[in-house]
Amino acid sequence: MAGRRAVPGDESDRDYLTTAQVAQRLGVKPETVYAYVSRGLLTSVRESRQRGSRFAAADVEELAGRTGGRRARPANGSIERIHTRVTLLADDRLYYRGRDVAELTGYRLESVAHWLWRGVDLAEVPPFEAPAGPADLVRRTMSLLPDTARLTDRIRMIVAAAGTADPLRFDLSEPAVVRAGEALLAMIADTLPPCPGAAPPTGPSLAARLWPKLTARAATPERIRLLNAALVLKADHDLAVSTLAARVAAGARADVYAVVSAGLGVFDGRHHGAAIGLAYRFLRDALGPAGGGPTGAVADRLRAGEHLPGLGHLLYAEHDPRADLLLGLLREHAEHDERVARVIRAVDALTREPAARAEVFPNADLALAALAHAMRMRPDAGEAVFAMARSIGWLAHAMEEYRQPGLRYRAIGVYTGTRPPSR
């Protein structure tokens, strides 16, 4: 949940607290305050006059009353008490099971998937394969969709159809979940329709098989490396809202396909996966004179009262490591590709715009949008990359949840409607 920007002068300083003050009042770490914001328990505001977020004192006191201030809350399904060994965000760094994601981009997605699922050594694993019968069923199902269907629409259909074809989907043991996860990822990569004019896949890896579904541009080893890195970087990101939905589904002992479907349902919201499309259009305007270039792209959105897509991030203070890594790889590619160089110049110009104020660093959404523009990918390619990659993380969290008592997330609502007459 993004914080809103305060109108200068509309509130007094004494009615607002800094992040550090909120953390002290609630007896939690600053990271937990950010988590409260992302989960809708607190709303942050920003002022152009100063860096950082502030919080209404009244809202903080209300939350303190509900949580008991410094007193620990009993475990009642509260999302801030989910213990996980999958992903850590700390000091503007991202780690999968203790390994820096910067290191993991050098491995194939298949190996990283097994690392997230099982914590096994990052060795080469055999190519993921989709069973022939279910794959044929999925392709027939795909043929029923209109040509205007987005890639993420098709991925949701693939997941649903694959589930109906798996009679053993209710086996929630770790080996069964891993097998189903491998088959599902292969199904997505293999059954999405190719772009017109695209050549067949150049290799057995998931990234190579997905490439012709995103763009007709030739698949070189360097370009496959870029796509593989993007998939690795988006595989998980702690308890994002879609991951929480997946864990709730797993807590109810939903099968693998239902868990991924739950994540995809939340993913499609404009504040989550669909934000990549906004970043794609923002960068498109920054690339062309028709959109006014970087200055015009920023000015148009500020004039409309909109936030700047792809810039800044709630959970990172100064930089998004995923964006840094992917844009760094693109910069290497830009040395011998003028189109990529043009995209990178536009990204750099956006981050230098004074109107961007505190939101000065690119996030992973903008980095994916840059990859899509640089490689002439479909406009919805970034969302598809995100959805396929994050399916790995959803399954990693589901496997954790399957080891916990079922139905942990039964929250109790605070009723505010009309009370029945007293007896």
Side-chain angles (χ1 to χ4, degrees):
M1 173 180 174
R4 60 185 175 86
R5 189 176 296 283
V7 178
D10 68 345
E11 297 287 351
S12 63
D13 287 342
R14 71 174 184 276
D15 293 328
Y16 282 82
L17 303 176
T18 65
T19 301
Q21 290 170 328
V22 173
Q24 183 179 20
R25 173 65 184 90
L26 298 177
V28 299
K29 296 179 180 180
E31 292 83 357
T32 304
V33 176
Y34 302 142
Y36 286 163
V37 175
S38 67
R39 293 157 190 164
L41 298 176
L42 279 176
T43 300
S44 64
V45 299
R46 292 180 181 173
E47 285 190 350
S48 59
R49 297 173 298 175
Q50 62 187 63
R51 183 177 177 83
S53 300
R54 298 196 303 159
F55 304 83
D59 292 348
V60 174
E61 288 304 316
E62 180 183 352
L63 180 59
R66 297 204 308 268
T67 61
R70 292 179 177 274
R71 297 189 299 277
R73 298 174 67 185
N76 65 348
S78 300
I79 55 178
E80 65 269 24
R81 290 191 174 276
I82 296 177
H83 293 194
T84 177
R85 294 176 177 269
V86 178
T87 297
L88 170 68
L89 281 71
D91 301 321
D92 282 4
R93 304 288 289 273
L94 174 63
Y95 304 87
Y96 295 163
R97 292 191 181 276
R99 303 284 285 267
D100 195 316
V101 75
E103 171 195 354
L104 296 177
T105 56
Y107 292 87
R108 285 171 55 175
L109 180 67
E110 293 86 337
S111 297
V112 176
H114 274 265
W115 176 249
L116 281 168
W117 291 340
R118 302 162 56 216
V120 298
D121 289 339
L122 283 157
E124 285 293 320
V125 298
F128 292 177
E129 296 183 358
D136 289 340
L137 170 66
V138 169
R139 289 190 179 93
R140 292 197 301 272
T141 305
M142 289 293 100
S143 67
L144 301 176
L145 295 178
D147 294 339
T148 55
R150 298 172 303 152
L151 288 177
T152 48
D153 296 330
R154 296 180 182 277
I155 290 175
R156 285 201 302 274
M157 187 70 78
I158 291 169
V159 174
T164 66
D166 185 355
L168 301 179
R169 63 184 180 275
F170 297 110
D171 184 350
L172 305 183
S173 65
E174 181 178 295
V177 172
V178 169
R179 286 195 299 271
E182 290 182 350
L184 184 56
L185 289 166
M187 197 85 71
I188 294 171
D190 291 345
T191 62
L192 284 172
C195 289
T202 57
S205 72
L206 289 173
R209 288 146 70 183
L210 182 63
W211 179 269
K213 316 306 174 66
L214 306 177
T215 177
R217 204 172 193 199
T220 65
E222 292 79 12
R223 291 169 183 170
I224 298 302
R225 176 180 171 229
L226 277 169
L227 180 56
N228 184 82
L231 289 160
V232 169
L233 292 169
K234 297 297 284 185
D236 196 52
H237 204 235
D238 193 38
L239 293 177
V241 287
S242 59
T243 303
L244 177 61
R247 289 197 75 126
V248 171
R253 297 304 183 258
D255 64 74
V256 166
Y257 307 94
V259 164
V260 174
S261 293
L264 286 169
V266 177
F267 171 88
D268 209 35
R270 63 182 179 183
H271 293 304
H272 196 16
I276 299 174
L278 299 177
Y280 180 90
R281 290 189 288 276
F282 182 47
L283 185 52
R284 177 195 61 198
D285 293 344
L287 281 166
T295 300
V298 170
D300 285 346
R301 280 149 183 84
L302 291 178
R303 184 163 53 248
E306 300 173 359
H307 78 288
L308 301 179
L311 297 178
H313 196 283
L314 179 68
L315 299 180
Y316 297 115
E318 296 181 354
H319 65 95
D320 183 335
R322 302 166 301 171
D324 290 351
L325 289 163
L326 186 53
L327 291 173
L329 291 172
L330 273 173
R331 286 188 175 91
E332 293 177 12
H333 204 69
E335 295 178 3
H336 51 85
D337 191 321
E338 176 54 33
R339 180 179 179 83
V340 181
R342 182 166 167 261
V343 171
I344 289 297
R345 287 196 295 270
V347 170
D348 291 342
L350 285 172
T351 61
R352 290 194 300 268
E353 279 295 323
R357 291 190 286 271
E359 299 173 342
V360 294
F361 61 87
N363 62 33
D365 293 342
L366 192 64
L368 270 181
L371 174 67
H373 277 289
M375 297 298 148
R376 294 188 177 92
M377 290 180 175
R378 295 173 47 129
D380 57 350
E383 294 177 36
V385 170
F386 189 177
M388 178 174 167
R390 190 56 55 89
S391 297
I392 295 171
W394 294 332
L395 292 180
H397 284 270
M399 292 166 72
E400 278 195 335
E401 202 58 48
Y402 289 147
R403 294 191 288 268
Q404 300 295 326
L407 292 176
R408 292 198 298 157
Y409 308 114
R410 178 57 177 92
I412 299 175
V414 179
Y415 181 72
T416 59
T418 302
R419 291 283 178 181
S422 57
R423 296 182 178 179

